Amino acid sequence: ANRSSNNLWVVGNEGFELVLQLGSDDLLRISGIISRTGTEQDWTPSSPPPFGPVLVIEGERSELSFEGVDIGGDGCDLIVTYRSPVGLQVSHVIRPSSRTAAFRTWTTLTNDSNHDVERISRFDALNLGMGVTKAEPLATYLTGWLDGPRIDAPGRPPASFAYSSWISPLLYGEDTQTTAPDLPGGWHASNLRLVEGERLSLLPLRSGKRSTFDNFPWVCVRDPLRQAGLFAGFEWSGMWKMDIEHHDADHEVSLFACTDGNVHTLSAGASITSPPAFVGFFSGEWDDA
């Protein structure tokens, strides 16, 4: 991680480079996302929104003001700091992998005020937009839906798949099917199936009542024109949500990850840290991701 002379901060490794820039409006934005997993690919969004996590307090999105960028983690981490109107310091950390074209990211809230901050229901570990080509991107992910309509793909055929364990009758009723078919490709999983290469519009991945009961917190997005893509995940064994959306008019893909179903009260002087998420880049086919 390093800073240049004109309010540019760079974090990355041999496989990728993420560049943040502070504009004249005092808002931090992405000004470069470059991957070097094969041929060099530019994933920079054409109209990047202000960079940073979403914070929701008492059901309302909190407007964050940018405070600064520090370099930590033995010179590897980029730590972006914001301030919320109710006295929370919001620290968003980006840590590059030492082995592959990927980085981890998480958010810490610290209550610097002299009063409790109640009903904190969302603070993103990951909130990012990336540019894609005019080609329609495809998505691969893991799902474990019960037989029936799929809310991740409205209007498409029901998924013929059922959970297998004692958990499904406990959570969803005694009439729940508990057998799973063999999956294509010669492998079998008791409670997950692979959906490969599906057209990406809006993909809302959700944990369900347990951490990986409805979906697995991992997605891969491939740009067929570039023959390259990105993968992302959330490292959390609890309720969570991830949204991955293709914005066709802007040629962009946005994604976020955060815990779900949790409401926190942060006492004066206390801190809380989100589970980490990760993003990585690949060139080639799905197996390369």
Side-chain angles (χ1 to χ4, degrees), residues 93-123:
V93 182
I94 304 166
R95 174 174 294 173
S97 168
S98 61
R99 296 174 297 166
T100 190
F103 61 92
R104 300 173 85 210
T105 176
W106 64 90
T107 298
T108 296
L109 306 180
T110 302
N111 186 356
D112 287 340
S113 73
N114 58 4
H115 57 82
D116 293 353
V117 177
E118 299 180 340
R119 296 181 62 195
I120 303 169
S121 57
R122 174 177 171 180
F123 58 113

PDB file of all heavy atoms in Angstrom, residues 93-123:
ATOM      1  N   VAL A  93     -10.966  -1.642   5.932  1.00  0.00           N
ATOM      2  CA  VAL A  93      -9.617  -2.152   5.701  1.00  0.00           C
ATOM      3  C   VAL A  93      -9.572  -2.981   4.424  1.00  0.00           C
ATOM      4  O   VAL A  93     -10.449  -3.817   4.174  1.00  0.00           O
ATOM      5  CB  VAL A  93      -9.142  -3.011   6.897  1.00  0.00           C
ATOM      6  CG1 VAL A  93      -7.715  -3.497   6.673  1.00  0.00           C
ATOM      7  CG2 VAL A  93      -9.246  -2.221   8.199  1.00  0.00           C
ATOM      8  N   ILE A  94      -8.528  -2.771   3.617  1.00  0.00           N
ATOM      9  CA  ILE A  94      -8.266  -3.570   2.417  1.00  0.00           C
ATOM     10  C   ILE A  94      -6.899  -4.216   2.598  1.00  0.00           C
ATOM     11  O   ILE A  94      -5.899  -3.521   2.779  1.00  0.00           O
ATOM     12  CB  ILE A  94      -8.266  -2.700   1.152  1.00  0.00           C
ATOM     13  CG1 ILE A  94      -9.577  -1.932   1.028  1.00  0.00           C
ATOM     14  CG2 ILE A  94      -8.026  -3.557  -0.088  1.00  0.00           C
ATOM     15  CD1 ILE A  94      -9.530  -0.822   0.009  1.00  0.00           C
ATOM     16  N   ARG A  95      -6.841  -5.552   2.550  1.00  0.00           N
ATOM     17  CA  ARG A  95      -5.590  -6.281   2.744  1.00  0.00           C
ATOM     18  C   ARG A  95      -5.347  -7.214   1.559  1.00  0.00           C
ATOM     19  O   ARG A  95      -6.088  -8.187   1.353  1.00  0.00           O
ATOM     20  CB  ARG A  95      -5.610  -7.093   4.037  1.00  0.00           C
ATOM     21  CG  ARG A  95      -4.376  -7.997   4.227  1.00  0.00           C
ATOM     22  CD  ARG A  95      -4.375  -8.668   5.570  1.00  0.00           C
ATOM     23  NE  ARG A  95      -4.220  -7.687   6.643  1.00  0.00           N
ATOM     24  CZ  ARG A  95      -4.311  -7.978   7.950  1.00  0.00           C
ATOM     25  NH1 ARG A  95      -4.560  -9.218   8.330  1.00  0.00           N
ATOM     26  NH2 ARG A  95      -4.167  -7.027   8.847  1.00  0.00           N
ATOM     27  N   PRO A  96      -4.305  -6.976   0.765  1.00  0.00           N
ATOM     28  CA  PRO A  96      -4.034  -7.846  -0.385  1.00  0.00           C
ATOM     29  C   PRO A  96      -3.519  -9.210   0.043  1.00  0.00           C
ATOM     30  O   PRO A  96      -2.830  -9.335   1.051  1.00  0.00           O
ATOM     31  CB  PRO A  96      -2.974  -7.070  -1.168  1.00  0.00           C
ATOM     32  CG  PRO A  96      -2.303  -6.211  -0.153  1.00  0.00           C
ATOM     33  CD  PRO A  96      -3.356  -5.853   0.850  1.00  0.00           C
ATOM     34  N   SER A  97      -3.853 -10.218  -0.733  1.00  0.00           N
ATOM     35  CA  SER A  97      -3.317 -11.558  -0.520  1.00  0.00           C
ATOM     36  C   SER A  97      -1.831 -11.581  -0.843  1.00  0.00           C
ATOM     37  O   SER A  97      -1.354 -10.854  -1.709  1.00  0.00           O
ATOM     38  CB  SER A  97      -4.061 -12.561  -1.401  1.00  0.00           C
ATOM     39  OG  SER A  97      -3.400 -13.807  -1.419  1.00  0.00           O
ATOM     40  N   SER A  98      -1.114 -12.434  -0.134  1.00  0.00           N
ATOM     41  CA  SER A  98       0.316 -12.604  -0.428  1.00  0.00           C
ATOM     42  C   SER A  98       0.550 -13.654  -1.510  1.00  0.00           C
ATOM     43  O   SER A  98       1.682 -13.847  -1.953  1.00  0.00           O
ATOM     44  CB  SER A  98       1.065 -13.011   0.843  1.00  0.00           C
ATOM     45  OG  SER A  98       0.567 -14.246   1.331  1.00  0.00           O
ATOM     46  N   ARG A  99      -0.515 -14.343  -1.964  1.00  0.00           N
ATOM     47  CA  ARG A  99      -0.324 -15.491  -2.853  1.00  0.00           C
ATOM     48  C   ARG A  99      -1.052 -15.398  -4.180  1.00  0.00           C
ATOM     49  O   ARG A  99      -0.677 -16.073  -5.133  1.00  0.00           O
ATOM     50  CB  ARG A  99      -0.772 -16.770  -2.142  1.00  0.00           C
ATOM     51  CG  ARG A  99       0.038 -17.128  -0.912  1.00  0.00           C
ATOM     52  CD  ARG A  99      -0.571 -18.317  -0.209  1.00  0.00           C
ATOM     53  NE  ARG A  99      -1.911 -18.001   0.279  1.00  0.00           N
ATOM     54  CZ  ARG A  99      -2.772 -18.921   0.691  1.00  0.00           C
ATOM     55  NH1 ARG A  99      -2.454 -20.193   0.641  1.00  0.00           N
ATOM     56  NH2 ARG A  99      -3.958 -18.559   1.148  1.00  0.00           N
ATOM     57  N   THR A 100      -2.129 -14.597  -4.243  1.00  0.00           N
ATOM     58  CA  THR A 100      -2.940 -14.606  -5.452  1.00  0.00           C
ATOM     59  C   THR A 100      -3.516 -13.223  -5.697  1.00  0.00           C
ATOM     60  O   THR A 100      -3.395 -12.330  -4.851  1.00  0.00           O
ATOM     61  CB  THR A 100      -4.065 -15.658  -5.332  1.00  0.00           C
ATOM     62  OG1 THR A 100      -4.701 -15.820  -6.595  1.00  0.00           O
ATOM     63  CG2 THR A 100      -5.092 -15.253  -4.283  1.00  0.00           C
ATOM     64  N   ALA A 101      -4.144 -13.036  -6.846  1.00  0.00           N
ATOM     65  CA  ALA A 101      -4.708 -11.735  -7.218  1.00  0.00           C
ATOM     66  C   ALA A 101      -6.032 -11.522  -6.493  1.00  0.00           C
ATOM     67  O   ALA A 101      -7.111 -11.592  -7.086  1.00  0.00           O
ATOM     68  CB  ALA A 101      -4.887 -11.657  -8.724  1.00  0.00           C
ATOM     69  N   ALA A 102      -5.955 -11.289  -5.206  1.00  0.00           N
ATOM     70  CA  ALA A 102      -7.158 -11.166  -4.384  1.00  0.00           C
ATOM     71  C   ALA A 102      -6.866 -10.298  -3.173  1.00  0.00           C
ATOM     72  O   ALA A 102      -5.706 -10.079  -2.810  1.00  0.00           O
ATOM     73  CB  ALA A 102      -7.636 -12.545  -3.931  1.00  0.00           C
ATOM     74  N   PHE A 103      -7.932  -9.795  -2.554  1.00  0.00           N
ATOM     75  CA  PHE A 103      -7.778  -9.033  -1.322  1.00  0.00           C
ATOM     76  C   PHE A 103      -8.954  -9.309  -0.392  1.00  0.00           C
ATOM     77  O   PHE A 103     -10.043  -9.674  -0.835  1.00  0.00           O
ATOM     78  CB  PHE A 103      -7.656  -7.529  -1.600  1.00  0.00           C
ATOM     79  CG  PHE A 103      -8.849  -6.914  -2.291  1.00  0.00           C
ATOM     80  CD1 PHE A 103      -9.896  -6.349  -1.573  1.00  0.00           C
ATOM     81  CD2 PHE A 103      -8.903  -6.857  -3.675  1.00  0.00           C
ATOM     82  CE1 PHE A 103     -10.979  -5.767  -2.217  1.00  0.00           C
ATOM     83  CE2 PHE A 103      -9.983  -6.280  -4.329  1.00  0.00           C
ATOM     84  CZ  PHE A 103     -11.019  -5.734  -3.601  1.00  0.00           C
ATOM     85  N   ARG A 104      -8.707  -9.158   0.898  1.00  0.00           N
ATOM     86  CA  ARG A 104      -9.740  -9.263   1.928  1.00  0.00           C
ATOM     87  C   ARG A 104     -10.115  -7.857   2.377  1.00  0.00           C
ATOM     88  O   ARG A 104      -9.303  -6.932   2.315  1.00  0.00           O
ATOM     89  CB  ARG A 104      -9.264 -10.077   3.129  1.00  0.00           C
ATOM     90  CG  ARG A 104      -8.877 -11.496   2.790  1.00  0.00           C
ATOM     91  CD  ARG A 104      -8.251 -12.178   3.990  1.00  0.00           C
ATOM     92  NE  ARG A 104      -9.247 -12.743   4.881  1.00  0.00           N
ATOM     93  CZ  ARG A 104      -9.099 -12.875   6.198  1.00  0.00           C
ATOM     94  NH1 ARG A 104      -7.993 -12.420   6.777  1.00  0.00           N
ATOM     95  NH2 ARG A 104     -10.010 -13.440   6.934  1.00  0.00           N
ATOM     96  N   THR A 105     -11.325  -7.695   2.839  1.00  0.00           N
ATOM     97  CA  THR A 105     -11.798  -6.396   3.284  1.00  0.00           C
ATOM     98  C   THR A 105     -12.806  -6.570   4.411  1.00  0.00           C
ATOM     99  O   THR A 105     -13.571  -7.529   4.420  1.00  0.00           O
ATOM    100  CB  THR A 105     -12.394  -5.602   2.099  1.00  0.00           C
ATOM    101  OG1 THR A 105     -12.936  -4.376   2.568  1.00  0.00           O
ATOM    102  CG2 THR A 105     -13.483  -6.393   1.401  1.00  0.00           C
ATOM    103  N   TRP A 106     -12.762  -5.667   5.386  1.00  0.00           N
ATOM    104  CA  TRP A 106     -13.691  -5.689   6.508  1.00  0.00           C
ATOM    105  C   TRP A 106     -13.833  -4.287   7.072  1.00  0.00           C
ATOM    106  O   TRP A 106     -13.112  -3.367   6.692  1.00  0.00           O
ATOM    107  CB  TRP A 106     -13.229  -6.679   7.577  1.00  0.00           C
ATOM    108  CG  TRP A 106     -11.921  -6.328   8.223  1.00  0.00           C
ATOM    109  CD1 TRP A 106     -11.715  -5.559   9.338  1.00  0.00           C
ATOM    110  CD2 TRP A 106     -10.617  -6.753   7.796  1.00  0.00           C
ATOM    111  NE1 TRP A 106     -10.379  -5.474   9.628  1.00  0.00           N
ATOM    112  CE2 TRP A 106      -9.687  -6.189   8.700  1.00  0.00           C
ATOM    113  CE3 TRP A 106     -10.162  -7.534   6.744  1.00  0.00           C
ATOM    114  CZ2 TRP A 106      -8.314  -6.395   8.575  1.00  0.00           C
ATOM    115  CZ3 TRP A 106      -8.795  -7.733   6.616  1.00  0.00           C
ATOM    116  CH2 TRP A 106      -7.892  -7.185   7.520  1.00  0.00           C
ATOM    117  N   THR A 107     -14.805  -4.122   7.993  1.00  0.00           N
ATOM    118  CA  THR A 107     -15.112  -2.806   8.552  1.00  0.00           C
ATOM    119  C   THR A 107     -15.194  -2.892  10.070  1.00  0.00           C
ATOM    120  O   THR A 107     -15.812  -3.822  10.609  1.00  0.00           O
ATOM    121  CB  THR A 107     -16.437  -2.272   7.986  1.00  0.00           C
ATOM    122  OG1 THR A 107     -16.306  -2.108   6.568  1.00  0.00           O
ATOM    123  CG2 THR A 107     -16.815  -0.938   8.609  1.00  0.00           C
ATOM    124  N   THR A 108     -14.593  -1.926  10.751  1.00  0.00           N
ATOM    125  CA  THR A 108     -14.672  -1.812  12.204  1.00  0.00           C
ATOM    126  C   THR A 108     -15.391  -0.517  12.576  1.00  0.00           C
ATOM    127  O   THR A 108     -15.079   0.552  12.027  1.00  0.00           O
ATOM    128  CB  THR A 108     -13.272  -1.814  12.841  1.00  0.00           C
ATOM    129  OG1 THR A 108     -12.657  -3.084  12.590  1.00  0.00           O
ATOM    130  CG2 THR A 108     -13.347  -1.592  14.346  1.00  0.00           C
ATOM    131  N   LEU A 109     -16.359  -0.618  13.485  1.00  0.00           N
ATOM    132  CA  LEU A 109     -17.047   0.549  14.037  1.00  0.00           C
ATOM    133  C   LEU A 109     -16.530   0.797  15.446  1.00  0.00           C
ATOM    134  O   LEU A 109     -16.470  -0.132  16.252  1.00  0.00           O
ATOM    135  CB  LEU A 109     -18.558   0.330  14.087  1.00  0.00           C
ATOM    136  CG  LEU A 109     -19.268  -0.068  12.799  1.00  0.00           C
ATOM    137  CD1 LEU A 109     -20.770  -0.227  13.063  1.00  0.00           C
ATOM    138  CD2 LEU A 109     -19.027   0.953  11.693  1.00  0.00           C
ATOM    139  N   THR A 110     -16.169   2.027  15.753  1.00  0.00           N
ATOM    140  CA  THR A 110     -15.729   2.419  17.092  1.00  0.00           C
ATOM    141  C   THR A 110     -16.577   3.594  17.552  1.00  0.00           C
ATOM    142  O   THR A 110     -16.690   4.602  16.838  1.00  0.00           O
ATOM    143  CB  THR A 110     -14.246   2.819  17.094  1.00  0.00           C
ATOM    144  OG1 THR A 110     -13.468   1.715  16.615  1.00  0.00           O
ATOM    145  CG2 THR A 110     -13.792   3.179  18.505  1.00  0.00           C
ATOM    146  N   ASN A 111     -17.175   3.461  18.728  1.00  0.00           N
ATOM    147  CA  ASN A 111     -18.034   4.515  19.268  1.00  0.00           C
ATOM    148  C   ASN A 111     -17.177   5.499  20.060  1.00  0.00           C
ATOM    149  O   ASN A 111     -16.803   5.236  21.198  1.00  0.00           O
ATOM    150  CB  ASN A 111     -19.124   3.910  20.144  1.00  0.00           C
ATOM    151  CG  ASN A 111     -20.129   4.949  20.616  1.00  0.00           C
ATOM    152  OD1 ASN A 111     -19.969   6.147  20.349  1.00  0.00           O
ATOM    153  ND2 ASN A 111     -21.157   4.502  21.321  1.00  0.00           N
ATOM    154  N   ASP A 112     -16.884   6.635  19.451  1.00  0.00           N
ATOM    155  CA  ASP A 112     -16.083   7.669  20.106  1.00  0.00           C
ATOM    156  C   ASP A 112     -16.925   8.668  20.886  1.00  0.00           C
ATOM    157  O   ASP A 112     -16.383   9.607  21.481  1.00  0.00           O
ATOM    158  CB  ASP A 112     -15.264   8.444  19.057  1.00  0.00           C
ATOM    159  CG  ASP A 112     -14.116   7.616  18.508  1.00  0.00           C
ATOM    160  OD1 ASP A 112     -13.724   6.648  19.183  1.00  0.00           O
ATOM    161  OD2 ASP A 112     -13.634   7.931  17.404  1.00  0.00           O
ATOM    162  N   SER A 113     -18.232   8.490  20.890  1.00  0.00           N
ATOM    163  CA  SER A 113     -19.104   9.438  21.587  1.00  0.00           C
ATOM    164  C   SER A 113     -19.210   9.067  23.071  1.00  0.00           C
ATOM    165  O   SER A 113     -18.623   8.081  23.528  1.00  0.00           O
ATOM    166  CB  SER A 113     -20.497   9.429  20.950  1.00  0.00           C
ATOM    167  OG  SER A 113     -21.189   8.229  21.280  1.00  0.00           O
ATOM    168  N   ASN A 114     -19.976   9.836  23.811  1.00  0.00           N
ATOM    169  CA  ASN A 114     -20.199   9.560  25.239  1.00  0.00           C
ATOM    170  C   ASN A 114     -21.566   8.961  25.488  1.00  0.00           C
ATOM    171  O   ASN A 114     -22.092   9.026  26.604  1.00  0.00           O
ATOM    172  CB  ASN A 114     -20.018  10.835  26.060  1.00  0.00           C
ATOM    173  CG  ASN A 114     -20.956  11.958  25.610  1.00  0.00           C
ATOM    174  OD1 ASN A 114     -21.803  11.753  24.730  1.00  0.00           O
ATOM    175  ND2 ASN A 114     -20.802  13.134  26.210  1.00  0.00           N
ATOM    176  N   HIS A 115     -22.167   8.384  24.435  1.00  0.00           N
ATOM    177  CA  HIS A 115     -23.492   7.780  24.583  1.00  0.00           C
ATOM    178  C   HIS A 115     -23.556   6.502  23.752  1.00  0.00           C
ATOM    179  O   HIS A 115     -22.744   6.289  22.850  1.00  0.00           O
ATOM    180  CB  HIS A 115     -24.587   8.756  24.126  1.00  0.00           C
ATOM    181  CG  HIS A 115     -24.409   9.222  22.700  1.00  0.00           C
ATOM    182  ND1 HIS A 115     -24.815   8.493  21.601  1.00  0.00           N
ATOM    183  CD2 HIS A 115     -23.841  10.355  22.196  1.00  0.00           C
ATOM    184  CE1 HIS A 115     -24.521   9.138  20.492  1.00  0.00           C
ATOM    185  NE2 HIS A 115     -23.924  10.273  20.827  1.00  0.00           N
ATOM    186  N   ASP A 116     -24.506   5.631  24.085  1.00  0.00           N
ATOM    187  CA  ASP A 116     -24.705   4.406  23.317  1.00  0.00           C
ATOM    188  C   ASP A 116     -25.252   4.744  21.930  1.00  0.00           C
ATOM    189  O   ASP A 116     -26.039   5.684  21.767  1.00  0.00           O
ATOM    190  CB  ASP A 116     -25.683   3.470  24.019  1.00  0.00           C
ATOM    191  CG  ASP A 116     -25.131   2.910  25.320  1.00  0.00           C
ATOM    192  OD1 ASP A 116     -23.938   3.145  25.595  1.00  0.00           O
ATOM    193  OD2 ASP A 116     -25.895   2.255  26.046  1.00  0.00           O
ATOM    194  N   VAL A 117     -24.830   3.961  20.940  1.00  0.00           N
ATOM    195  CA  VAL A 117     -25.417   4.043  19.600  1.00  0.00           C
ATOM    196  C   VAL A 117     -26.192   2.754  19.387  1.00  0.00           C
ATOM    197  O   VAL A 117     -25.618   1.662  19.403  1.00  0.00           O
ATOM    198  CB  VAL A 117     -24.338   4.222  18.516  1.00  0.00           C
ATOM    199  CG1 VAL A 117     -24.986   4.234  17.125  1.00  0.00           C
ATOM    200  CG2 VAL A 117     -23.559   5.510  18.745  1.00  0.00           C
ATOM    201  N   GLU A 118     -27.500   2.877  19.210  1.00  0.00           N
ATOM    202  CA  GLU A 118     -28.387   1.712  19.171  1.00  0.00           C
ATOM    203  C   GLU A 118     -28.855   1.419  17.746  1.00  0.00           C
ATOM    204  O   GLU A 118     -28.794   2.249  16.862  1.00  0.00           O
ATOM    205  CB  GLU A 118     -29.593   1.949  20.081  1.00  0.00           C
ATOM    206  CG  GLU A 118     -29.226   2.168  21.550  1.00  0.00           C
ATOM    207  CD  GLU A 118     -30.429   2.391  22.420  1.00  0.00           C
ATOM    208  OE1 GLU A 118     -31.502   2.747  21.868  1.00  0.00           O
ATOM    209  OE2 GLU A 118     -30.322   2.205  23.646  1.00  0.00           O
ATOM    210  N   ARG A 119     -29.306   0.172  17.583  1.00  0.00           N
ATOM    211  CA  ARG A 119     -29.973  -0.300  16.362  1.00  0.00           C
ATOM    212  C   ARG A 119     -29.091  -0.134  15.123  1.00  0.00           C
ATOM    213  O   ARG A 119     -29.487   0.400  14.112  1.00  0.00           O
ATOM    214  CB  ARG A 119     -31.322   0.394  16.172  1.00  0.00           C
ATOM    215  CG  ARG A 119     -32.339   0.081  17.261  1.00  0.00           C
ATOM    216  CD  ARG A 119     -33.651   0.777  16.997  1.00  0.00           C
ATOM    217  NE  ARG A 119     -34.220   0.295  15.723  1.00  0.00           N
ATOM    218  CZ  ARG A 119     -35.224   0.917  15.075  1.00  0.00           C
ATOM    219  NH1 ARG A 119     -35.726   2.026  15.564  1.00  0.00           N
ATOM    220  NH2 ARG A 119     -35.689   0.415  13.953  1.00  0.00           N
ATOM    221  N   ILE A 120     -27.863  -0.639  15.231  1.00  0.00           N
ATOM    222  CA  ILE A 120     -26.978  -0.727  14.068  1.00  0.00           C
ATOM    223  C   ILE A 120     -27.301  -2.047  13.370  1.00  0.00           C
ATOM    224  O   ILE A 120     -27.035  -3.120  13.904  1.00  0.00           O
ATOM    225  CB  ILE A 120     -25.499  -0.686  14.482  1.00  0.00           C
ATOM    226  CG1 ILE A 120     -25.192   0.583  15.295  1.00  0.00           C
ATOM    227  CG2 ILE A 120     -24.601  -0.771  13.259  1.00  0.00           C
ATOM    228  CD1 ILE A 120     -23.829   0.559  15.959  1.00  0.00           C
ATOM    229  N   SER A 121     -27.867  -1.991  12.186  1.00  0.00           N
ATOM    230  CA  SER A 121     -28.338  -3.207  11.525  1.00  0.00           C
ATOM    231  C   SER A 121     -27.525  -3.594  10.296  1.00  0.00           C
ATOM    232  O   SER A 121     -27.677  -4.699   9.781  1.00  0.00           O
ATOM    233  CB  SER A 121     -29.813  -3.059  11.121  1.00  0.00           C
ATOM    234  OG  SER A 121     -29.998  -1.928  10.290  1.00  0.00           O
ATOM    235  N   ARG A 122     -26.675  -2.684   9.816  1.00  0.00           N
ATOM    236  CA  ARG A 122     -25.858  -3.029   8.639  1.00  0.00           C
ATOM    237  C   ARG A 122     -24.577  -2.202   8.642  1.00  0.00           C
ATOM    238  O   ARG A 122     -24.610  -0.994   8.838  1.00  0.00           O
ATOM    239  CB  ARG A 122     -26.635  -2.767   7.346  1.00  0.00           C
ATOM    240  CG  ARG A 122     -25.796  -2.961   6.075  1.00  0.00           C
ATOM    241  CD  ARG A 122     -26.610  -2.761   4.825  1.00  0.00           C
ATOM    242  NE  ARG A 122     -25.756  -2.730   3.624  1.00  0.00           N
ATOM    243  CZ  ARG A 122     -26.185  -2.561   2.376  1.00  0.00           C
ATOM    244  NH1 ARG A 122     -27.466  -2.436   2.135  1.00  0.00           N
ATOM    245  NH2 ARG A 122     -25.333  -2.521   1.371  1.00  0.00           N
ATOM    246  N   PHE A 123     -23.449  -2.881   8.447  1.00  0.00           N
ATOM    247  CA  PHE A 123     -22.193  -2.212   8.125  1.00  0.00           C
ATOM    248  C   PHE A 123     -21.393  -3.174   7.260  1.00  0.00           C
ATOM    249  O   PHE A 123     -20.972  -4.232   7.686  1.00  0.00           O
ATOM    250  CB  PHE A 123     -21.437  -1.735   9.376  1.00  0.00           C
ATOM    251  CG  PHE A 123     -21.087  -2.790  10.389  1.00  0.00           C
ATOM    252  CD1 PHE A 123     -19.757  -3.133  10.624  1.00  0.00           C
ATOM    253  CD2 PHE A 123     -22.069  -3.429  11.132  1.00  0.00           C
ATOM    254  CE1 PHE A 123     -19.421  -4.100  11.570  1.00  0.00           C
ATOM    255  CE2 PHE A 123     -21.750  -4.390  12.078  1.00  0.00           C
ATOM    256  CZ  PHE A 123     -20.419  -4.728  12.301  1.00  0.00           C
TER     257      PHE A 123
END
